[in-house]
Amino acid sequence: KWGIFVEELDAAYVNLTGDVLVSAGLMAYLGPFTSTFRQRQMGEWIATCKKLNIPSSEKPTLINTLGDAVKIRQWNIESLPTDDFSVENAITIFAARRWPLMIDPQAPTRREK
């Protein structure tokens, strides 16, 4: 069990540069776009990383790179939808230094309590 964990940790360490690069791009540029566009753009960035020999995961995500499982679970308890798009938006809001421009496709922020 520990051997598998060590191998996964080694792979994550090797891929850290590209994963952080793609995640930073998502935070900086992709906030106001749809989930479909984000995924397509991130796929292009990953392909560019591979082309330039920058190590990265096959499908890096903001959730895996900057997410905190305990915070994410707490957000879900507090009614944040569990889809990746909503969680990525929440991570961006909490990790950004400035007010990010985001879209709210499910409108949970407008719901009456």
Side-chain angles (χ1 to χ4, degrees):
K1 185 175 180 173
W2 282 105
I4 294 170
F5 179 72
V6 169
E7 289 175 15
E8 290 173 356
L9 195 57
D10 284 343
Y13 182 74
V14 168
N15 295 328
L16 187 62
T17 303
D19 292 357
V20 169
L21 181 64
V22 171
S23 293
L26 187 153
M27 285 187 60
Y29 300 111
L30 299 181
F33 296 103
T34 64
S35 180
T36 304
F37 182 81
R38 283 184 186 181
Q39 294 303 319
R40 189 173 63 235
Q41 187 59 48
M42 287 176 67
E44 290 179 21
W45 289 344
I46 294 163
T48 302
C49 284
K50 298 293 184 193
K51 189 169 137 182
L52 298 173
N53 295 320
I54 299 170
S56 69
S57 302
E58 290 301 314
K59 289 193 165 250
T61 66
L62 190 62
I63 296 167
N64 291 338
T65 305
L66 294 176
D68 177 348
V70 174
K71 282 184 183 177
I72 293 169
R73 177 62 62 201
Q74 184 61 40
W75 295 335
N76 296 145
I77 290 169
E78 294 170 357
S79 299
L80 180 73
T82 58
D83 64 286
D84 288 349
F85 189 69
S86 297
V87 174
E88 287 174 352
N89 283 347
I91 291 169
T92 301
I93 289 168
F94 280 92
R97 289 187 172 177
R98 298 178 292 159
W99 294 101
L101 177 61
M102 308 298 271
I103 60 172
D104 184 14
Q106 298 177 353
T109 58
R110 294 189 298 254
R111 127 184 110 161
E112 296 294 322
K113 291 195 175 198

